[in-house]
Amino acid sequence: MKIVRAGWTSASFLVYAGALMALFAAFAWQGVISAEHSQGAFAGWSVLFYAVAGTIALIMLARGRRLVAGLFAFVSVGLFGVMVGAFFDWFGWLSSDDPLHGFHWGNLGLELLILVAAVVALRIFRFPLLVLLVAGVGWYFLTDLVSSGGNWSATVTLLFGIALFFRGLGLDGGDSRWYGFWVHVVAGLTFGGALLYWWHSGDGEWAGTLIVALLYILVGAAIRRSSYAVLGVVGLVLATGHYSLEETFGFGNVFSRPTTWAGPVAYLCLGLFLVLVGMVLRRRHAAAESA
């Protein structure tokens, strides 16, 4: 079975939006059930939610509606995690400690089961969005398994991001390129997130963030993965905010009564710089394709 390749059309957007909205609505509905019923009742209701989503996914797959089937498979993996978590919590197996702190076999078991469910769903439905779950949950499980928060967790996250980057490069040929997109997304988030964890205070650290953000844009252009350009722009925006605004992450006050001219001018220059870089990269790509 080939990988699902859905073009970005109005129809596909509506299917994506509807399925993801259904997922968030199901989470919210389950939150209401959890607040109004006992743990055992909530666990029972969670089975029904998962069964409905999984059944829809399998029916759509049997009918050849693979895009809808893949999206509901994504929804069902999320609801599977809620279901298993509800039973683990009912049995008293889950820890309420902060994420990535301490070794708790119940939490690790939940993470591992969700990872396995995502891998199985990916093999059955071959839907690229499921790669996001595999890579994301895989990162969380590995980091939780071998670290307990702080710098060591950041180090594991950094190494995981590097490994994912090279894995993504390996997937960038042929049909597997559709899988590679989400691998690169998680690679960029983990690698950049680890660096931002270390470099978020002081002018020198933010200068390092600026350099890495520019490298993200260049790497994204070189391998034709726009996700790195998006993340690079985010890094530039945050670093610009540090140097020009009173609040480090206060990007919003540029548009609501700024107290000094530094912020608006800095972001104006950043915007013009990004336009210039985009024009240069577009010209180079056009020249490479015509050669």
Side-chain angles (χ1 to χ4, degrees):
M1 184 183 296
K2 293 184 178 180
I3 297 173
V4 178
R5 300 175 61 176
W8 194 243
T9 64
S10 297
S12 62
F13 166 75
L14 291 174
V15 174
Y16 269 88
L20 295 179
M21 191 177 298
L23 176 61
F24 291 124
F27 284 159
W29 192 356
Q30 288 179 311
V32 174
I33 293 174
S34 176
E36 295 181 349
H37 296 81
S38 65
Q39 289 181 314
F42 173 60
W45 275 103
S46 68
V47 175
L48 178 62
F49 278 85
Y50 168 64
V52 170
T55 301
I56 293 175
L58 292 173
I59 290 174
M60 291 296 104
L61 181 64
R63 293 185 176 181
R65 303 292 183 89
R66 295 185 59 206
L67 173 60
V68 180
L71 283 167
F72 273 93
F74 182 89
V75 171
S76 67
V77 172
L79 294 177
F80 173 81
V82 174
M83 180 187 70
V84 176
F87 277 97
F88 276 28
D89 190 38
W90 184 24
F91 299 153
W93 293 349
L94 293 183
S95 170
S96 58
D97 288 350
D98 293 336
L100 303 180
H101 281 74
F103 185 91
H104 306 288
W105 70 267
N107 295 33
L108 290 169
L110 172 61
E111 296 156 14
L112 180 60
L113 287 174
I114 297 174
L115 177 59
V116 171
V119 171
V120 171
L122 179 61
R123 289 185 176 274
I124 295 174
F125 294 91
R126 298 184 64 82
F127 188 61
L129 186 59
L130 290 166
V131 176
L132 176 63
L133 289 179
V134 173
V137 178
W139 158 75
Y140 193 89
F141 171 72
L142 178 64
T143 306
D144 194 16
L145 178 66
V146 303
S147 67
S148 296
N151 288 326
W152 179 230
S153 290
T155 301
V156 174
T157 299
L158 182 74
L159 295 175
F160 188 85
I162 294 174
L164 274 188
F165 173 76
F166 287 105
R167 177 56 179 158
L169 291 179
L171 292 171
D172 279 346
D175 284 345
S176 61
R177 181 172 176 82
W178 292 81
Y179 284 170
F181 171 79
W182 291 109
V183 172
H184 281 296
V185 168
V186 179
L189 288 171
T190 50
F191 184 86
L195 292 181
L196 193 59
Y197 175 82
W198 288 316
W199 299 345
H200 63 271
S201 62
D203 292 345
E205 294 181 356
W206 280 105
T209 300
L210 274 173
I211 294 172
V212 172
L214 291 173
L215 290 175
Y216 260 50
I217 294 174
L218 295 177
V219 168
I223 65 175
R224 299 198 175 187
R225 283 299 186 186
S226 58
S227 59
Y228 291 103
V230 173
L231 295 173
V233 169
V234 171
L236 291 177
V237 167
L238 294 177
T240 301
H242 167 77
Y243 289 112
S244 62
L245 302 177
E246 294 180 359
E247 298 180 4
T248 302
F249 292 95
F251 182 63
N253 60 359
V254 174
F255 302 101
S256 58
R257 296 184 181 180
T259 57
T260 65
W261 54 265
V265 170
Y267 281 108
L268 175 61
C269 292
L270 175 60
L272 294 176
F273 171 74
L274 293 176
V275 170
L276 178 61
V277 172
M279 292 173 63
V280 171
L281 294 178
R282 185 185 181 93
R283 182 176 300 176
R284 288 187 177 182
H285 287 164
E289 290 176 354
S290 62

